[in-house]
Amino acid sequence: MTPLGNMVTDRLHDETVWIGSPHPFDLHEAYLDFRSPPSWVLSAAPGAARLLITADSRYRLWINGRFVARGPARSYPQAQSVDDIDVTAYLRPGRNVLAAQVYQPGYSHFAYVHRGAAGLLAQLEGDGQLLLATGSTWRARRNPSFDPNVPRISIYGSGVEERRLRREDDWTDPAYDDGEWDAARVVAPPGRAPWNTLQPRALPLLQEKDLLLPDPEMRLGPAPETSRDDAHRFLRQGWATARPVPIPRHDDGWYAPALHEGRCAYWLFDLGRDVTCQAWVEIEGAGGQETLSISYAEKKRDGDLVLSDPDTYCRVRMTDRFYLRPGDQVAEPFALRGARYLLLQLTGPIAPNFRLRPHIRASHYPLQITRPLDVDDPLLDEVIAMCERTVQACLQDGFIDCTWREAAQWVGDALPQSLSLWAMSGDLRPLRRVIEMAAQGAYDDGVLPGVLPGEVHAYVVVDYNFTWVELLSLYHELSGDEAFVRDLWPVLRKMLGRFHQDRRDDGLILSQTGRRLFLDWAPLSRREPNAVYNLRYLLALQTAAALARALGHTDDAQTWQARAERLQKAVRDAFWRDGRWNDDEQGNTYSQLSTALALLTETATPQEAPALQEAIIARSLDDDDVHVVSDEHTAGEMVLNSPFMHHYIFEALRAGGREDAVLGIIRRRWGRWAQAGEPTTWENWNVDFPDGSVCHAFSAHPRYHLAMILDEELQQDAVAEGARA
């Protein structure tokens, strides 16, 4: 299922084909260089020129030596995203050179799905005529400067970068002689597997710019005793033992350290908040024995920089390393990463005239805040700003989890992110893209993936299927786009039918073997049958039934409503006891989330609602966060749920007319971060665990809830859009 269809294929000429490395097995940690044919000459510069370009998995593009763009947007190979770029300003009469570098990790991760192929596809048209197309006359090679034997960052992303710049050359320069390169290999025509369909990029091209560098913290120290084979561990240990010193600085940001063999210099830059970025470094006068490492970190603890430990749960290592060549050069990574802190490590010995100048390049989605929110309350205004910074940081080619640890697009996270983005700008494109990609990645049995694009079976979070129903309904409500929703109806019907197979005789559903019920840091019981899991399914059934009624799918509406009513009774019989909504039948825990979902689904009666609302409110206003990142729990105490799940808590309280309580909770919990000077919203109330992140847009939903409570104009917009839908 692909609502955008195969529109790009219809625009391609017969000459345009996928090309790859001369060797078909150049797949593992392969950086492939491509150059247009030497015979490509333009008699005149076109008045208008557009380039269609995509690659599996990522590309960087130069035209006549000038950097143009990077892409494509994340996508499944079977529905490959294609960029459409205006390149008029880059072309000239005479010989032109288009150069592209393609990275192929050779394995799937949280932002990419591998199908055993690598390739580049490009077509240039000018003034209505075909000017250039990828084919066998292109030149290609595997870039010799990248080491293919590198560790992965983790399952979240691809490999780190180890480069020997002695093996690099100026291959993007128009004057470069590629005569010794091989001819590119034709991999496939358009429309052939694994790239069955080609879709136009659904989101705007990202914009990149260099940031003004702050003054760094600088240190010197001995090279650590650990092996240099592991760049990240080597940097991590070296930073811990180095001592602050001033390093001579020249005009315009150049630094000239004096380093003997066995010594290391460090520069730590604080960008003020998380950004998607990369450091790149100009170097002059290298002797050829120096190494430069670039690492990315997100937080400090007790004043000390927290550098990721690859032995922890997430196994993250965020360090790229360059072995310098003699003379002047630029050390520039291929990949964008993400961080608040950038750390550079230089290892000696260095040449007498050596100096370097660091730069930081950031990438961002071109977001315009067209719905500003100023409530004339200093604390809430700072909360609003904190949430907006977080949303902007975690908006790239779609919603991402966080900039640092995992630039992954989780289906569940998209709901609060979409609402926050809509409240800021009305931009529905990332919301639509999440819905579509989840449908494109559906398993054969109808279950949707948890990560987009993803083929990470260990992270099939099944309750995100229920979130997808809410996303689909939200998009219909805000856009009125019935055609899009109708195209996805078979996906919705098949997915809900699959979960209907999981029911017990009493109607409660159980988990699917090998798949996760739900994700939340809170220590609520996961025993089955589980209240949260069943209530999330109940909410999805109710939402789907309402959507079916709105679209005239009477039979589906009746089926889903009947299932919801039976499930509602079973949930109440199993989990409501002694005035509490227990998380399992044994009553091991009871949580804010199960209580909020009982309210949202009207499984709790109107008579019970006031006391349940008060219990939720009291727990959120209680500052005891001791147990929120452990498996421990105080018996008899309502479980405090994560910032993310407070979206459902706020929805339940607002539905019950308790906007005052929502404001109070935001003041207490998000206001605590704002008063502490935190620039972005955290992954959890406590992020002292090793890889806990301090920038997660799924925690920025107070921006939406504050707008719906305090912005009368936005409330009117919501009513109007809902009526139009």
Side-chain angles (χ1 to χ4, degrees):
M1 199 295 313
T2 165
L4 284 179
N6 205 18
M7 292 185 284
V8 175
T9 307
D10 299 336
R11 295 175 55 186
L12 296 179
H13 294 255
D14 293 340
E15 298 94 322
T16 307
V17 294
W18 284 90
I19 59 174
S21 161
H23 199 296
F25 294 163
D26 278 338
L27 294 175
H28 179 72
E29 296 296 349
Y31 295 82
L32 308 177
D33 301 335
F34 298 91
R35 282 173 60 93
S36 55
S39 59
W40 181 37
V41 176
L42 296 177
S43 58
R50 301 202 70 86
L51 178 71
L52 294 175
I53 182 170
T54 188
D56 192 340
S57 68
R58 295 287 185 267
Y59 74 81
R60 294 193 297 168
L61 170 68
W62 296 262
I63 297 179
N64 293 325
R66 296 169 59 191
F67 178 74
V68 179
R70 73 176 75 225
R74 65 186 69 203
S75 59
Y76 285 98
Q78 69 268 21
Q80 184 74 19
S81 178
V82 180
D83 296 331
D84 185 342
I85 306 172
D86 184 346
V87 297
T88 309
Y90 296 91
L91 301 176
R92 62 196 183 196
R95 183 168 183 250
N96 289 259
V97 176
L98 188 152
Q101 187 170 69
V102 173
Y103 170 56
Q104 171 56 261
Y107 44 77
S108 300
H109 54 74
F110 270 28
Y112 170 65
V113 173
H114 181 53
R115 287 287 183 263
L120 171 72
L121 180 84
Q123 174 180 290
L124 176 64
E125 287 188 330
D127 299 332
Q129 301 295 317
L130 177 66
L131 302 180
L132 180 68
T134 44
S136 60
T137 58
W138 283 56
R139 315 296 289 176
R141 72 170 183 183
R142 183 167 184 153
N143 188 288
S145 70
F146 289 89
D147 186 345
N149 300 310
V150 294
R152 294 176 65 173
I153 290 175
S154 73
I155 195 174
Y156 297 135
S158 53
V160 300
E161 298 178 27
E162 289 257 0
R163 296 190 65 188
R164 298 186 182 275
L165 295 185
R166 289 176 184 268
R167 301 174 182 172
E168 180 62 292
D169 49 32
D170 296 325
W171 67 275
T172 62
D173 190 289
Y176 177 83
D177 182 4
D178 58 19
E180 295 185 358
W181 290 22
D182 293 319
R185 180 175 54 90
V186 174
V187 177
R192 179 78 58 82
W195 308 291
N196 303 88
T197 63
L198 302 175
Q199 299 185 351
R201 185 185 184 106
L203 301 173
L205 281 167
L206 303 181
Q207 299 177 357
E208 297 184 21
K209 66 177 181 180
D210 274 6
L211 303 179
L212 182 65
L213 276 172
D215 290 334
E217 176 186 346
M218 295 175 284
R219 294 186 183 185
L220 288 175
E225 296 180 359
T226 187
S227 171
R228 297 193 182 198
D229 292 341
D230 189 323
H232 184 74
R233 294 184 190 276
F234 186 78
L235 173 139
R236 191 169 181 265
Q237 291 191 14
W239 171 256
T241 57
R243 294 292 175 261
V245 295
I247 295 176
R249 178 174 178 173
H250 294 240
D251 293 337
D252 298 327
W254 288 94
Y255 294 90
L259 282 183
H260 302 294
E261 185 172 4
R263 300 285 291 176
C264 299
Y266 301 85
W267 293 263
L268 177 64
F269 297 93
D270 181 358
L271 305 182
R273 67 169 179 87
D274 278 43
V275 293
T276 298
C277 63
Q278 62 181 192
W280 62 279
V281 183
E282 293 179 89
I283 297 158
E284 292 183 351
Q289 298 185 68
E290 305 90 347
T291 61
L292 177 69
S293 294
I294 302 173
S295 195
Y296 303 80
E298 195 190 45
K299 64 185 178 184
K300 289 186 175 183
R301 186 181 298 137
D302 299 326
D304 294 328
L305 184 68
V306 178
L307 288 166
S308 56
D309 181 355
D311 291 330
T312 57
Y313 172 74
C314 293
R315 300 181 182 177
V316 175
R317 56 180 79 229
M318 300 289 284
T319 301
D320 301 318
R321 178 164 58 185
F322 299 82
Y323 295 87
L324 305 187
R325 65 173 182 260
D328 301 345
Q329 60 214 281
V330 172
E332 180 178 356
F334 178 93
L336 290 164
R337 305 217 186 273
R340 171 176 175 172
Y341 298 97
L342 293 174
L343 178 61
L344 274 58
Q345 178 195 48
L346 178 68
T347 304
I350 66 170
N353 296 320
F354 178 95
R355 65 176 189 165
L356 60 78
R357 178 162 62 177
H359 300 264
I360 296 173
R361 179 180 298 123
S363 169
H364 68 278
Y365 183 100
L367 174 65
Q368 297 293 322
I369 298 179
T370 58
R371 293 171 168 173
L373 181 62
D374 184 351
V375 299
D376 198 26
D377 179 307
L379 181 58
L380 291 182
D381 281 336
E382 184 50 42
V383 169
I384 291 166
M386 180 176 63
C387 292
E388 290 181 352
R389 287 190 293 265
T390 312
V391 171
Q392 290 174 303
C394 297
L395 186 59
Q396 289 290 307
D397 52 353
F399 298 119
I400 63 173
D401 186 26
C402 65
T403 66
W404 169 68
R405 190 185 68 220
E406 50 171 314
Q409 187 172 229
W410 292 85
V411 176
D413 299 355
L415 180 61
Q417 287 175 304
S418 296
L419 289 166
S420 297
L421 180 61
W422 173 79
M424 293 166 59
S425 72
D427 189 348
L428 299 179
R429 290 172 294 180
L431 167 59
R432 178 187 169 111
R433 184 61 177 150
V434 166
I435 296 169
E436 177 187 51
M437 287 186 69
Q440 291 167 345
Y443 284 80
D444 289 342
D445 65 354
V447 173
L448 306 179
V451 187
L452 305 174
E455 194 173 61
V456 189
H457 308 300
Y459 270 91
V460 180
V461 184
V462 287
D463 85 317
Y464 285 175
N465 287 255
F466 311 148
T467 309
W468 187 82
V469 181
E470 295 180 68
L471 291 167
L472 189 63
S473 177
L474 175 65
Y475 183 76
H476 176 255
E477 176 186 346
L478 298 180
S479 71
D481 187 349
E482 289 193 4
F484 179 78
V485 178
R486 290 184 189 281
D487 281 343
L488 290 162
W489 207 254
V491 179
L492 174 64
R493 186 180 287 144
K494 184 175 182 179
M495 181 266 287
L496 288 177
R498 169 63 183 84
F499 282 92
H500 186 59
Q501 299 172 20
D502 299 332
R503 69 194 185 284
R504 297 195 313 186
D505 290 342
D506 61 2
L508 295 175
I509 62 169
L510 302 175
S511 66
Q512 300 170 357
T513 303
R515 292 169 170 171
R516 295 186 171 208
L517 287 176
F518 56 87
L519 289 184
D520 188 27
W521 284 107
L524 65 157
S525 172
R526 267 71 171 174
R527 291 190 64 170
E528 293 196 83
N530 187 274
V532 168
Y533 186 51
N534 277 272
L535 283 164
R536 295 276 281 115
Y537 178 47
L538 174 57
L539 182 60
L541 286 172
Q542 292 174 336
T543 303
L547 186 59
R549 286 192 292 271
L551 294 179
H553 291 286
T554 306
D555 291 345
D556 287 331
Q558 292 175 347
T559 297
W560 294 333
Q561 185 61 41
R563 291 176 184 174
E565 290 172 0
R566 184 182 183 200
L567 176 60
Q568 187 175 54
K569 181 181 184 306
V571 165
R572 186 170 180 87
D573 290 344
F575 305 116
W576 172 248
R577 189 163 55 253
D578 300 327
R580 295 178 177 177
W581 281 99
N582 295 300
D583 297 315
D584 59 31
E585 288 182 307
Q586 294 74 31
N588 288 292
T589 63
Y590 79 106
S591 64
Q592 287 183 304
L593 184 55
S594 58
T595 307
L597 291 170
L599 290 167
L600 282 172
T601 58
E602 298 183 347
T603 309
T605 68
Q607 293 75 23
E608 295 158 358
L612 296 174
Q613 292 165 1
E614 289 301 327
I616 290 174
I617 295 165
R619 185 63 189 95
S620 288
L621 295 178
D622 182 349
D623 289 332
D624 179 12
D625 294 345
V626 173
H627 304 299
V628 297
V629 293
S630 71
D631 293 330
E632 301 175 5
H633 179 65
T634 302
E637 181 182 80
M638 175 178 270
V639 173
L640 173 72
N641 283 98
S642 69
F644 173 18
M645 292 304 177
H646 265 63
H647 164 67
Y648 289 104
I649 291 166
F650 289 167
E651 289 281 86
L653 293 177
R654 286 180 48 224
R658 295 305 307 270
E659 287 86 355
D660 60 329
V662 173
L663 292 176
I665 294 169
I666 292 172
R667 285 178 173 278
R668 177 69 62 87
R669 292 204 160 269
W670 278 261
R672 184 170 57 184
W673 291 335
Q675 290 172 326
E678 293 295 330
T680 50
T681 59
W682 293 7
E683 179 177 17
N684 204 16
W685 306 119
N686 184 319
V687 289
D688 284 345
F689 54 106
D691 297 316
S693 172
V694 296
C695 181
H696 266 61
F698 63 50
S699 296
H701 55 77
R703 175 61 175 84
Y704 162 74
H705 289 286
L706 287 171
M708 293 305 294
I709 294 171
L710 301 173
D711 188 336
E712 293 183 3
E713 183 176 347
L714 189 64
Q715 295 172 31
Q716 294 170 0
D717 288 347
V719 171
E721 289 171 339
R724 184 178 69 251

